[in-house]
Amino acid sequence: MSRVNGEKTRVLKPPGSPTGTNYLERSFVDLDPQTCYEVFINHWKQIQGVFNKHINTTVFKRSKVSGEEVQTVVNYMNQMMCLLVEEKMPRGGVIGRMLELMIKENMLDKFFVWCSKSGEFLEDLKYEQLKIYEILIAQSKQSVLMHNAILNPLLRVLLACSEFNSERVESRLILLLNQLCVALSKDTTLLEFLFHASPNQGPAKFLIFSLLIPYVHREGRRGQQARDALLLCMAVSSEAETVGKYIAGSTSLCPVLATGLGALYSRLPRKLVIDVDHWHSLTRDDWVKIPELVHFLNSLEFCNAVVQVLYGCFI
């Protein structure tokens, strides 16, 4: 939530717009390719007009970024993504004109820079950037992750989300990381791009993997998404000895697994209260009623899966 003109309001959602991932305007998809391209260019010009108000000077004046400007930029970016994901790759192996323009203009990096200096709107804009990449990766008809003009700003956004986040940003972050790992499992050629690519600062390698590690022992949906994503990463990485060795020896995965499992073990109840006569063994019906035991067994099962996937890297 942010304050605009003294009133608390959630910017970035135009009145009457639907919620969720499918909030994008899809009225453009029936237009011919030339019209779509012209709309795409026009939207970018409108966004640049807002950017130039604040980036033309050597000092970024945060106070002049208004909620109306933020909403305008995000709405235009959303509509541009709607157009872009519908663009088909032309014959001959070349990329589409809208994707080419996005790369040439370095749009996503400029968007990141503007968002990172937006003051009170920073958290909302983190969320919106994550959502844009989620849509690009999940819905684009063209391969996008091997282009540096898309991959590098994506990594910068992920790095910006590596510390404190609101719950909604954290939820969106884990979902995006999960999608990246799914994309990696479907196209293993992306492993080299994602392993060696790095933002201007921060972890040098495999950022998406490092960002997932803190969530391996998390309860609930987010924890399960993180564990699933890590296993997908490791399954692909096990085929590449260098990457597998890096995961096993140079990330915090093993210490986090060991210390987290130990902590969960210490939380287990010291005795069981069973109200059934002649009880002699612990069945599923018994342990599902003990949240601490469920959490411990889930983490133990994950640790076992990690060892099986990366067995060769540990010996």
Side-chain angles (χ1 to χ4, degrees):
M1 302 293 284
S2 301
R3 289 192 177 274
V4 182
N5 297 327
E7 295 182 1
K8 187 179 285 188
T9 176
R10 187 180 297 285
V11 298
L12 318 178
K13 272 187 187 174
S17 64
T19 57
T21 306
N22 297 321
Y23 69 101
L24 295 179
E25 295 285 347
R26 293 207 171 266
S27 57
F28 298 116
V29 297
D30 296 326
L31 300 178
D32 65 273
Q34 180 59 34
T35 302
C36 289
Y37 183 65
E38 291 172 2
V39 172
F40 190 84
I41 292 175
N42 181 65
H43 283 3
W44 177 238
K45 287 179 179 178
Q46 297 297 323
I47 291 172
Q48 284 182 305
V50 178
F51 286 178
N52 290 338
K53 289 182 183 179
H54 309 287
I55 300 180
N56 275 344
T57 58
T58 56
V59 179
F60 194 103
K61 299 178 180 179
R62 297 186 183 186
S63 60
K64 290 191 175 181
V65 178
S66 68
E68 183 178 353
E69 287 174 326
V70 170
Q71 183 168 318
T72 296
V73 168
V74 170
N75 287 343
Y76 276 132
M77 285 296 295
N78 288 338
Q79 291 173 11
M80 288 172 67
M81 293 307 107
C82 174
L83 291 166
L84 182 61
V85 298
E86 294 296 331
E87 182 178 52
K88 297 179 181 178
M89 182 181 292
R91 294 180 180 178
V94 297
I95 61 176
R97 288 194 297 169
M98 284 184 279
L99 180 57
E100 182 179 19
L101 182 64
M102 171 173 278
I103 294 169
K104 181 180 177 181
E105 291 285 322
N106 210 13
M107 293 180 186
L108 292 175
D109 195 66
K110 291 176 180 176
F111 183 43
F112 170 80
V113 171
W114 187 81
C115 291
S116 66
K117 299 177 179 179
S118 61
E120 63 179 304
F121 304 107
L122 178 60
E123 195 71 6
D124 281 328
L125 285 169
K126 272 196 218 174
Y127 180 86
E128 293 297 329
Q129 287 178 92
L130 293 171
K131 198 156 59 171
I132 281 173
Y133 285 109
E134 178 193 327
I135 292 164
L136 261 181
I137 293 166
Q139 300 181 27
S140 179
K141 293 178 172 60
Q142 304 177 79
S143 298
V144 294
L145 288 175
M146 67 278 299
H147 300 291
N148 286 334
I150 294 175
L151 182 58
N152 287 341
L154 166 59
L155 292 172
R156 294 179 75 184
V157 172
L158 294 177
L159 186 61
C161 297
S162 62
E163 297 181 357
F164 172 78
N165 297 300
S166 63
E167 281 198 21
R168 63 196 294 263
V169 169
E170 183 181 86
S171 179
R172 187 62 63 175
L173 171 64
I174 296 173
L175 180 58
L176 175 59
L177 291 171
N178 184 281
Q179 283 194 331
L180 283 166
C181 294
V182 170
L184 178 61
S185 69
K186 292 179 178 178
D187 183 1
T188 56
T189 60
L190 291 173
L191 181 61
E192 286 298 310
F193 288 96
L194 294 172
F195 180 64
H196 292 292
S198 65
N200 294 333
Q201 54 182 336
K205 292 180 180 179
F206 227 174
L207 179 61
I208 64 169
F209 190 90
S210 299
L211 289 175
L212 284 164
I213 293 174
Y215 301 102
V216 295
H217 295 298
R218 180 72 66 89
E219 295 183 69
R221 180 178 176 81
R222 294 177 198 175
Q224 191 59 53
Q225 285 179 328
R227 290 188 289 274
D228 290 345
L230 283 167
L231 284 176
L232 284 173
C233 258
M234 288 182 280
V236 175
S237 302
S238 64
E239 304 299 322
E241 183 178 352
T242 302
V243 182
K245 293 286 187 183
Y246 176 82
I247 290 174
S250 300
T251 70
S252 61
L253 176 65
C254 293
V256 168
L257 288 179
T259 56
L261 197 61
L264 292 174
Y265 182 81
S266 68
R267 290 169 52 191
L268 292 176
R270 293 295 177 260
K271 65 179 186 176
L272 302 175
V273 178
I274 306 296
D275 296 325
V276 179
D277 293 335
H278 309 296
W279 179 85
H280 65 281
S281 65
L282 187 68
T283 66
R284 177 180 175 80
D285 289 339
D286 296 321
W287 62 258
V288 293
K289 299 174 184 177
I290 308 171
E292 297 86 356
L293 183 55
V294 172
H295 194 183
F296 173 78
L297 290 175
N298 285 340
S299 291
L300 182 62
E301 183 179 13
F302 176 73
C303 290
N304 182 54
V306 169
V307 172
Q308 291 185 47
V309 171
L310 291 180
Y311 174 75
C313 300
F314 290 114
I315 57 176

